[in-house]
Amino acid sequence: MTQESLEKRREKGERAERIAVLLPLPFPTALDYLAPEGAVSPGDLVQVPLGKRQETGCVWDRESDVPADFAPVPAREVARTRLKPISGKLDMPALPGDLRRFIAWLAAYTLTPPGLVLAMAIRARHTKPPRVVHGWVRGTEATEGLRMTEARQRVMAALGPHPATTASLAERAGVSDAVIRGLAAAGALREEVVTCDPLFGTPDPDFDRPRLSPEQGEAAHELSSAVREGGFATILLEGVTGSGKTEVYFEAVAQCLAQGRQCLVLLPEIALSTQWTDRFARRFGVQPALWHSELGGRKKRETWYAIAAGRAQVVVGARSALFLPFPALGLVIVDEEHESAFKQEEGVTYHGRDMAIVRARLAGIPVILVSATPSLETLTNVEAGRYRHVVLHGRHGAATLPRVALIDMRKAPPERGQFLSPALLGAMRETLARQDQAMLFLNRRGYAPLTLCRSCGHRMECPNCSAWLVEHRARQILTCHHCGHHEPLPHSCPSCAAEASLVPIGPGIERVHEEVRHHFPEARILVMASDTLGSPSATAEAVRQIAAREVDLIVGTQIVAKGWHFPDLTLVGVVDADLGLGGGDLRAAERTVQLLHQVGGRAGRAEKPGQVLLQSYLGDHPVMQALVSNDYQAFMAQEAAQRKPGFWPPYGRLAALIVSADTAEAADGLAGRIGARAPDLPGIQVLGPAPAPLAILRGRHRRRLLLRTRRNVAVQPILRNWLEGLKLTTHERVDIDIDPISFL
């Protein structure tokens, strides 16, 4: 819509109105444009001129339409005569009001330009309508008069209730395209437009209702009642590993579907979706819609449209699924709510679990948090009465919790140059002799975390980061797991040129695999790590092999700690239970006990009893004692007692400022200027500036400052005042992380 066309509309008596349009760009406010009166409404997606190019934006709510704490920064006042008209309204579903409020809320909470948050909801690939595809259905002409060859009969038998494209129908029937064209010419097939709908079947709440135990039934009733009654509520579903939490919250999903509403399920890792979607299909008769970064552009576009149209009723996805345009969202579920993978560390920094609660509150619907090892933040909210609590105390059916034992590596060390103790090797032999499956866990990728020269002591370090290069022997490379830099494994030391002097220090998952192969040459071994499972399909194949008993030994990183169910897995060995306890991470102990508890929970999930062996040099550590005694609650109570006096989260608030620049001098200078103007207010403490643990990342020098306050103090106004007027060069940057969980 040009200025000229707008003038013509005015001549006809049509009036123009000023509208606010939020663009998916880092502007601090929505921009004002002109549109014919009544032509567009808040949430509509429009094309607008910006300089010499066209941009897609969303017609935004005026301040009077948005609650005060969600309102975006007001658009600047511009004379009406200078305003440009919108180019047109896109033929796309509007963004729902609760999603717009969520975008504004998240932007205000994280101190992010609202346009960058909007960009996560309307990426460019979403704003192109799905490709129109033509398919075939049964035609009006009867087939009795036709010569029905065997090939033609197969085509007619392969036709389902929805239109099938020529390619898919030919593949399904095992015929050439010519057979299909012949049937179409005879009128036995009729052409129709294929929509997104066939991609997403309609889940049936009553398709295969499970037989729940009395405890599961009570929990399912409480969750379903919350969905049936409606309104916002946060419910923690806590249950030991193998207690059937998924089956229980599926009943809440069924209640949501029975009400004609949509449901969003967030998983921390896409790798988890393989078994989860299979279980969903067995319960509801169809596969759910998937949303994650591995989806191709066309599939993502079709999924976005199906969700916006309400045709995809259940969506399972990563944290980015929070920004999908559900028109009838009725329930949000966050599975494995304790997982740190829900935190987005780059770009717009937010915690998927916390923002799922916000999204549910703005929509006025329940949100269910699910975990066997709930985070201290969630348990504190339960204790304060802000969250409801539903607990499953025992494993489902005949399964019992595995027995956990420590292997003191000081008393029973492995052989020289080895990493598996005799006790663990003996347990593995017994397990394989019974024809059961065993799993070894080490949360460290590659062959060795450090490579050094035994002649001069030189350590192989990343040129872009302050991190050691990790050896990947299978690929004969050294790589940095922070920036992705990699280089060939050298034959001589780069520092002293000594030949064959480079030696690996410490074990990685490849080195453990090598040791296991030496001890168990006949065993069928599978390595599960992000390096070996590069896609959801590869993960699905690995899971299939384990479930089909095509694997005897699994060696894996944290991917094996996810919610897998392998009935014949009876032994879990943790190669280095102490890994993760070092350093100054506030949540190191909590994360370690959660991770190892989840890993151990893979053992003994069916009738066969399970055993977990922890190799440790720190047997007296509270984490090890909590795992052996299976007393997670006592451990978390101890964690709470340590954090309360210093007002550390969840009893206080943290916000991190990450300063970065091209040189160390520039980073120090900028950090010093920010530190010099730090707020000096009661109940507020500023720590730093200090070098970040990763002082150099991707070639940029990094410094950190940490703002700590009491729980009842809002950090956003303090940060705004602190940084107001700060001038940055093009080579300087300040990133804000509200509620940080990583301190690298």
Side-chain angles (χ1 to χ4, degrees):
M1 183 180 303
T2 63
Q3 189 74 39
E4 183 180 356
S5 63
L6 198 61
E7 293 296 336
K8 289 181 179 179
R9 285 175 175 267
R10 285 176 179 164
E11 291 173 4
K12 295 179 181 179
E14 297 182 17
R15 298 181 58 189
E17 62 178 341
R18 180 198 297 257
I19 62 168
V21 177
L22 187 63
L23 299 177
L25 298 168
F27 297 148
T29 122
L31 302 181
D32 276 6
Y33 289 88
L34 290 178
E37 191 171 35
V40 294
S41 302
D44 286 341
L45 297 177
V46 293
Q47 201 81 12
V48 298
L50 184 68
K52 296 182 179 180
R53 68 182 192 272
Q54 293 288 317
E55 288 286 346
T56 297
C58 179
V59 179
W60 210 243
D61 306 75
R62 288 299 185 183
E63 291 76 18
S64 60
D65 301 324
V66 184
D69 54 340
F70 309 138
V73 179
R76 60 189 176 90
E77 285 299 318
V78 181
R80 180 181 294 268
T81 55
R82 293 176 54 197
L83 294 179
K84 294 181 179 180
I86 65 171
S87 302
K89 176 183 171 182
L90 298 182
D91 185 17
M92 293 178 62
L95 298 190
D98 65 301
L99 176 56
R100 301 195 305 276
R101 292 192 294 273
F102 175 63
I103 290 169
W105 195 99
L106 194 153
Y109 187 81
T110 60
L111 299 180
T112 303
L116 293 185
V117 184
L118 174 69
M120 296 191 287
I122 57 163
R123 299 185 190 278
R125 59 177 169 269
H126 304 159
T127 58
K128 298 177 182 177
R131 184 167 62 93
V132 176
V133 178
H134 295 275
W136 302 102
V137 295
R138 292 183 184 275
T140 55
E141 296 295 326
T143 57
E144 291 108 3
L146 296 177
R147 189 172 69 86
M148 294 300 293
T149 63
E150 182 183 352
R152 286 182 168 182
Q153 291 176 25
R154 290 202 304 270
V155 170
M156 301 307 291
L159 275 175
H162 300 293
T165 63
T166 301
S168 64
L169 185 56
E171 181 181 1
R172 202 181 307 163
V175 301
S176 67
D177 294 357
V179 177
I180 296 172
R181 287 195 295 270
L183 284 169
L189 296 180
R190 178 168 51 85
E191 194 174 34
E192 277 195 4
V193 173
V194 179
T195 67
C196 303
D197 298 55
L199 293 174
F200 310 104
T202 303
D204 181 359
D206 300 313
F207 182 77
D208 186 16
R209 287 195 172 273
R211 297 183 61 180
L212 301 177
S213 69
E215 183 181 49
Q216 289 176 325
E218 290 179 13
H221 175 73
E222 185 163 351
L223 299 183
S224 299
S225 296
V227 177
R228 184 169 52 252
E229 294 163 5
F232 171 66
T234 305
I235 307 169
L236 169 63
L237 174 59
E238 180 183 1
V240 298
T241 54
S243 58
K245 296 184 291 296
T246 304
E247 284 71 19
V248 167
Y249 73 65
F250 272 174
E251 296 310 293
V253 174
Q255 180 63 46
C256 181
L257 293 172
Q259 294 178 312
R261 307 294 296 276
Q262 292 171 292
C263 176
L264 169 62
V265 182
L266 296 183
L267 300 180
E269 302 272 2
I270 272 317
L272 279 175
S273 66
T274 305
Q275 281 195 334
W276 193 96
T277 53
D278 288 344
R279 292 166 78 175
F280 182 91
R282 289 195 298 270
R283 171 62 181 85
F284 295 101
V286 297
Q287 292 281 341
L290 287 175
W291 185 266
H292 54 79
S293 59
E294 299 293 331
L295 290 181
R298 176 184 169 190
K299 183 65 176 290
K300 209 157 197 174
R301 200 159 54 242
E302 292 172 341
T303 302
W304 193 91
Y305 267 79
I307 292 167
R311 293 188 292 254
Q313 293 181 274
V314 177
V315 179
V316 56
R319 56 181 180 254
S320 60
L322 283 168
F323 300 92
L324 290 169
F326 295 94
L329 191 58
L331 175 65
V332 178
I333 297 171
V334 184
D335 208 341
E336 308 291 355
E337 65 85 24
H338 64 276
E339 281 276 2
S340 60
F342 279 122
K343 176 76 177 195
Q344 176 153 306
E345 301 280 8
E346 296 185 350
V348 180
T349 57
Y350 67 93
H351 199 298
R353 175 201 62 212
D354 299 342
M355 293 305 107
I357 296 170
V358 173
R359 179 89 201 257
R361 177 165 70 88
L362 297 177
I365 60 174
V367 56
I368 301 172
L369 311 180
V370 186
S371 179
T373 54
S375 63
L376 185 55
E377 283 81 0
T378 296
L379 290 174
T380 302
N381 281 313
V382 167
E383 185 180 354
R386 289 185 285 268
Y387 297 174
R388 289 155 58 179
H389 198 191
V390 178
V391 184
L392 299 172
H393 296 92
R395 282 191 159 181
H396 182 59
T400 58
L401 289 172
R403 181 175 60 86
V404 182
L406 281 172
I407 297 176
D408 190 335
M409 298 292 277
R410 296 166 298 183
K411 297 179 181 179
E415 296 181 11
R416 184 177 179 85
Q418 302 289 298
F419 301 95
L420 303 179
S421 67
L424 180 54
L425 289 170
M428 293 170 67
R429 289 191 185 94
E430 293 175 5
T431 301
L432 297 180
R434 295 193 307 268
Q435 296 187 339
D436 289 344
Q437 292 171 314
M439 174 188 288
L440 291 179
F441 169 76
L442 176 64
N443 197 22
R444 186 183 279 151
R445 289 182 289 161
Y447 187 84
L450 172 65
T451 301
L452 61 76
C453 175
R454 58 188 168 195
S455 295
C456 70
H458 174 75
R459 301 185 177 197
M460 300 299 293
E461 188 174 7
C462 177
N464 307 316
C465 307
S466 49
W468 309 126
L469 291 175
V470 177
E471 178 182 342
H472 287 257
R473 183 160 293 188
R475 290 182 286 165
Q476 287 292 294
I477 62 170
L478 296 170
T479 187
C480 175
H481 289 163
H482 298 286
C483 73
H485 167 83
H486 61 272
E487 57 190 60
L489 188 63
H491 298 290
S492 60
C493 175
S495 178
C496 70
E499 293 288 337
S501 64
L502 296 175
V503 293
I505 304 298
I509 198 69
E510 292 180 13
R511 201 168 189 180
V512 172
H513 176 224
E514 182 180 85
E515 186 174 339
V516 169
R517 174 64 65 200
H518 169 74
H519 288 288
F520 304 97
E522 303 301 321
R524 297 169 296 177
I525 304 172
L526 174 69
V527 177
M528 291 187 71
S530 58
D531 299 315
T532 61
L533 304 177
S535 66
S537 60
T539 303
E541 174 58 20
V543 170
R544 186 203 65 76
Q545 291 177 15
I546 298 170
R549 289 305 312 268
E550 297 173 10
V551 173
D552 303 313
L553 275 171
I554 304 118
V555 182
T557 57
Q558 65 177 354
I559 195 171
V560 303
K562 310 309 176 185
W564 309 116
H565 179 75
F566 301 130
D568 295 302
L569 180 62
T570 60
L571 173 67
V572 169
V574 178
V575 177
D576 186 355
D578 307 329
L579 186 63
L581 290 176
D585 192 334
L586 169 70
R587 297 179 175 86
E590 179 185 354
R591 285 178 183 163
T592 301
V593 77
Q594 288 167 339
L595 179 60
L596 297 186
H597 185 92
Q598 294 283 345
V599 171
R602 300 315 102 204
R605 294 174 66 92
E607 291 78 10
K608 300 176 183 179
Q611 181 183 20
V612 181
L613 296 177
L614 308 172
Q615 293 192 155
S616 174
Y617 291 93
L618 304 172
D620 295 331
H621 196 284
V623 166
M624 302 307 150
Q625 295 303 309
L627 291 167
V628 171
S629 63
N630 194 32
D631 196 345
Y632 183 74
Q633 297 298 330
F635 170 80
M636 294 304 277
Q638 183 178 350
E639 276 287 295
Q642 291 177 349
R643 295 193 204 175
K644 276 183 181 178
F647 298 102
W648 293 103
Y651 307 102
R653 302 288 306 279
L654 290 180
L657 298 182
I658 303 96
V659 176
S660 62
D662 291 347
T663 65
E665 293 75 17
D668 287 332
L670 176 58
R673 296 203 313 272
I674 294 174
R677 53 192 289 173
D680 184 14
L681 299 170
I684 295 174
Q685 182 182 17
V686 175
L687 307 175
L694 272 176
I696 307 174
L697 180 64
R698 301 184 184 95
R700 293 185 63 79
H701 295 259
R702 306 166 74 240
R703 307 292 182 261
R704 289 179 66 97
L705 298 97
L706 198 63
L707 174 72
R708 182 171 61 163
T709 73
R710 292 176 182 264
R711 185 69 192 172
N712 60 351
V713 177
V715 299
Q716 288 82 359
I718 299 170
L719 290 168
R720 285 195 192 98
N721 292 333
W722 184 4
L723 299 177
E724 186 177 8
L726 180 68
K727 302 297 183 182
L728 301 178
T729 70
T730 56
H731 303 290
E732 297 173 333
R733 180 171 171 176
V734 178
D735 292 307
I736 301 173
D737 187 358
I738 307 291
D739 306 324
I741 65 170
S742 171
F743 295 90
L744 292 179

